[in-house]
Structures are given as structure tokens and as C-alpha cells.
């Protein structure tokens, strides 16, 4: 009889242990962190709090707040919105990054990256990540900011972040990659490849698709094969917007506005306008094709510029991304 009681007690303890272990290791519904990661940029600092609740955080794994730049003295102001956004995101297992720079950064940022000033910027970034529990910094320095100060800034920022167990990422295109040494690229935890804006309203003499599928192939192969970056450290960029060329075409237009204005546009990559102009973008089939490419080539994930450009219905590009990402 005592042996039977002992066996039953042992079985109960085993079952309780198993239940508790599973309870603490199971991911939140709809979020398998072993799948392809889905990163989205969220622009509009003045509107983050009003926008965050409109983003389906269950469909992304990473969120970049674009853009967080210092004032002219190199200091970063504290912002109550950071804490609210990070709490909402972390509740959904979503990592949150400060994205520094952008395509149109303040003119004084270049000077703040000089040797005698950048320590203030780096200190401010580290302070923000620790104060609000950001997961890391996204270095989105482009164009003239990829200069003689780029490598030392990245190196010093990496040295400051790593002891704090914070991540450091980059937004880079392939056309400017040759300006950055291998040793600098290797410091990044992952790279968001900007596989879009091949052309646009700044180059009206070169109309055409600004983010064709072959651009993804070429960009990925450049960073993975030519530059030797592991595939799992590469995120493939996806545009949620289009560029127009010709008579009657807008310079740029969000995906959600394109499909609202032109019914059926979600199934193609261009819309021809009555006046003769054309809008080029990525519809659902091409987005799905790019995500499948990322999976097949074991990329770390995909990156979206930007989340506010998506629709909130069955034509959602984010939904299309998730359908492919979740396939086994």
C-alpha cells in the first residue's frame, strides 16, 4: 500500500512540474519566435501614441520607432510615450528599437558624429535604452552620413551597448554598402536591407518599378555572398508604398491609398492612370514572393517601411507576410 501511495505522489509531482514548465515556455498565441522575424518601422514621433493601438502587434516581432534624433547639443529628450509603447510591445513579445537618423535627418546630426562630439550622442542613446528598456539601437545613417565618422561611431556605439546586452542593427542599401568595411558590418546584430527606392520622384527620367523582385535577390546576394554576412543576420526590406511617374501620377502614395483609389490594385504591381502616368508598388503576390525568398534562403526576417502604409482588411500586406512566414 505504501509503495502505491509513493508512486501516485511521484506521478502527481511529475505532472505538476511538467505543467508549470510548459506554462512558462509556451509562446503567446500567434507568435512563434522561431519563425521568420517581421520588423516594421513606425514613423511619426508626434503621433506614436495615437498610432500604436492601430498596429496589430501580434503580426510583428520587432518595432523600430522612426526617428529618434538628438537636439543640436547631442542630447535626447525623455518622452513618456516610450514607456507606454514599449510596455504594449513587450506584452506581445515584440522587441522595440530606437531608429537613429533616417533619410532626412536634422542637418546638424552630421557634425554631432565628429570625434569630439559623438560621445554625447552615444551616451544619450545608451541612457534612453536603459531608462525605457528599449531592446537596442537601429543605425539608419544614410547618404552623406556614411563618411569618415561612420565606422568609429558604430564601433564606439557597439562597445557601449554590448555590456548592457542591447542590440545594434543597421538600415543599409546595397548601393552604399561598398562604403562600409567588413569589420564594421560584422558589428551589427542584423542588417535591414533597404530593397526599395531603386528609382523615384527624384529621378523622373528613370521611370519604372522601384522595388522589383530581382532587387531583393541582388541585394541579399550582395550582403550574404559578396560581403559574407550570415543569412540569419539579414532582413529583406519590403515597401508599403509606391512611386508615380508621368502625367497625373502622384510622387508617392501609400499602399492602402493605392488599393482604395484603384480597386483590384492589390493583385498587381502597377496602376496605369488615365492621364498616362503610372504608379509602381508591390502588391500581394510580389510581397508573398519576397517573403518566400527570405524563408527559402534562411534570412533572419523581413523589414517593412512602413507600418502605417498598410490596409486593415483582407488586402493587408502584413497579413500576406504572416501567411507565408507561418507556413512550415
Amino acid at each position: 500500500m505504501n509503495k502505491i501511495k509513493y508512486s501516485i505522489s511521484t506521478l502527481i509531482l511529475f505532472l505538476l512540474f511538467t505543467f508549470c514548465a510548459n506554462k512558462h515556455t509556451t509562446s503567446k498565441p500567434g507568435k512563434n519566435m522561431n519563425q521568420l522575424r517581421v520588423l516594421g518601422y513606425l514613423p511619426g514621433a508626434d503621433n506614436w501614441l495615437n498610432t500604436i493601438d492601430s498596429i496589430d502587434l501580434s503580426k510583428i516581432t520587432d518595432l523600430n520607432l522612426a526617428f529618434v534624433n538628438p537636439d543640436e547639443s547631442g542630447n535626447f529628450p525623455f518622452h513618456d510615450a516610450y514607456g507606454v509603447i514599449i510596455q504594449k510591445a513587450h506584452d506581445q513579445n515584440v522587441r522595440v528599437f530606437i531608429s537613429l537618423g533616417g533619410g532626412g535627418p536634422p542637418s546638424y546630426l552630421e557634425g554631432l558624429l565628429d570625434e569630439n562630439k559623438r560621445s554625447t550622442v552615444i551616451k544619450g542613446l545608451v541612457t534612453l535604452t536603459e531608462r525605457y528598456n528599449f531592446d537596442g539601437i537601429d543605425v539608419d545613417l544614410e547618404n552623406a552620413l556614411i563618411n569618415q565618422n561612420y565606422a568609429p561611431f558604430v564601433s564606439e556605439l557597439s562597445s557601449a551597448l554590448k555590456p548592457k546586452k542591447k542590440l545594434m542593427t543597421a538600415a543599409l542599401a546595397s548601393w552604399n554598402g561598398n562604403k562600409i568595411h567588413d569589420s564594421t558590418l560584422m558589428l551589427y546584430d542584423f542588417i535591414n536591407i533597404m530593397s526599395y527606392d531603386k528609382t523615384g520622384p527624384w529621378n523622373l527620367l528613370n521611370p519604372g518599378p522601384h522595388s522589383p523582385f530581382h532587387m531583393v535577390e541582388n541585394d541579399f546576394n550582395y550582403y550574404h555572398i559578396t560581403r559574407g554576412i550570415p543569412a540569419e543576420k539579414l532582413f529583406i526590406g519590403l515597401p508599403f508604398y509606391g512611386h508615380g511617374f508621368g502625367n497625373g501620377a502622384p510622387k508617392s502614395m501609400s499602399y492602402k491609398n493605392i488599393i482604395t483609389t484603384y480597386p483590384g490594385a492589390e493583385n498587381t504591381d502597377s496602376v496605369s492612370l488615365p492621364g498616362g502616368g503610372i504608379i509602381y508598388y508591390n502588391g500581394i503576390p510580389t510581397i508573398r514572393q519576397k517573403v518566400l525568398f527570405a524563408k527559402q534562403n534562411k534570412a533572419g526576417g523581413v523589414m517593412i517601411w512602413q507600418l502605417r502604409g498598410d490596409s486593415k482588411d483582407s488586402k493587408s500586406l502584413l497579413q500576406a507576410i504572416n501567411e507565408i512566414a507561418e507556413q512550415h
Side-chain angles (χ1 to χ4, degrees), residues 135-183:
D135 295 280
I137 304 295
D138 176 58
V139 179
D140 190 355
L141 300 179
E142 305 177 27
N143 305 315
L145 295 182
I146 302 181
N147 55 24
Q148 72 280 358
N149 289 321
Y150 185 90
F153 171 76
V154 171
S155 177
E156 290 174 30
L157 179 60
S158 174
S159 296
L161 289 173
K162 283 191 178 354
K164 310 294 184 182
K165 301 189 183 304
K166 301 295 183 179
L167 302 173
M168 185 179 71
T169 71
L172 293 170
S174 59
W175 61 265
N176 60 15
N178 63 336
K179 298 180 179 180
I180 304 172
H181 194 272
D182 289 347
S183 59

Side-chain angles (χ1 to χ4, degrees), residues 5-271:
K5 287 182 179 179
Y6 177 80
S7 298
I8 292 174
S9 298
T10 302
L11 178 60
I12 291 172
L13 287 172
F14 172 79
L15 291 174
L16 284 172
F17 175 82
T18 303
F19 171 78
C20 291
N22 289 336
K23 182 179 180 181
H24 290 288
T25 58
T26 301
S27 298
K28 291 181 181 291
K31 186 72 64 71
N32 182 346
M33 305 308 281
N34 293 321
Q35 293 174 347
L36 194 74
R37 300 194 72 88
V38 179
L39 180 151
Y41 279 85
L42 185 63
D46 295 334
N47 204 32
W48 281 331
L49 277 181
N50 295 329
T51 306
I52 191 65
D53 288 333
S54 69
I55 304 299
D56 189 349
L57 294 173
S58 71
K59 289 185 169 59
I60 64 174
T61 60
D62 299 83
L63 179 68
N64 282 8
L65 297 184
F67 291 95
V68 179
N69 287 308
D71 61 22
E72 293 187 44
S73 298
N75 299 308
F76 292 83
F78 297 135
H79 201 314
D80 291 341
Y82 296 151
V84 176
I85 292 169
I86 289 171
Q87 186 61 58
K88 288 177 181 288
H90 284 179
D91 285 347
Q92 294 283 336
N93 285 337
V94 174
R95 301 186 301 199
V96 187
F97 295 79
I98 296 169
S99 191
L100 173 74
S107 58
Y108 55 79
L109 183 58
E110 182 174 2
L112 291 176
L113 301 182
D114 287 342
E115 182 178 4
N116 61 338
K117 294 183 179 180
R118 58 175 169 259
S119 61
T120 301
V121 176
I122 291 171
K123 181 180 178 181
L125 288 170
V126 173
T127 298
L128 276 184
T129 60
E130 290 195 294
R131 180 184 178 102
Y132 294 102
N133 198 24
F134 279 100
D135 295 280
I137 304 295
D138 176 58
V139 179
D140 190 355
L141 300 179
E142 305 177 27
N143 305 315
L145 295 182
I146 302 181
N147 55 24
Q148 72 280 358
N149 289 321
Y150 185 90
F153 171 76
V154 171
S155 177
E156 290 174 30
L157 179 60
S158 174
S159 296
L161 289 173
K162 283 191 178 354
K164 310 294 184 182
K165 301 189 183 304
K166 301 295 183 179
L167 302 173
M168 185 179 71
T169 71
L172 293 170
S174 59
W175 61 265
N176 60 15
N178 63 336
K179 298 180 179 180
I180 304 172
H181 194 272
D182 289 347
S183 59
T184 301
L185 291 179
M186 291 300 180
L187 293 175
Y188 291 118
D189 291 287
F190 59 84
I191 295 172
N192 297 310
I193 308 175
M194 297 186 286
S195 291
Y196 40 70
D197 287 353
K198 184 179 180 69
T199 187
W202 58 88
N203 193 6
L204 294 177
L205 297 179
N206 185 30
H210 77 96
S211 185
F213 177 72
H214 67 78
M215 187 178 184
V216 160
E217 295 179 300
N218 294 341
D219 287 352
F220 179 83
N221 288 336
Y222 170 75
Y223 278 106
H224 180 45
I225 298 175
T226 305
R227 302 304 302 274
I229 305 298
E232 63 270 18
K233 294 179 68 172
L234 298 175
F235 283 40
I236 291 173
L238 307 174
F240 278 20
Y241 65 94
H243 289 315
F245 298 89
N247 190 32
K251 289 184 177 180
S252 297
M253 196 172 188
S254 68
Y255 168 78
K256 66 181 177 184
N257 287 341
I258 292 172
I259 65 171
T260 299
T261 307
Y262 308 102
E266 68 275 6
N267 297 315
T268 65
D269 286 342
S270 64
V271 172

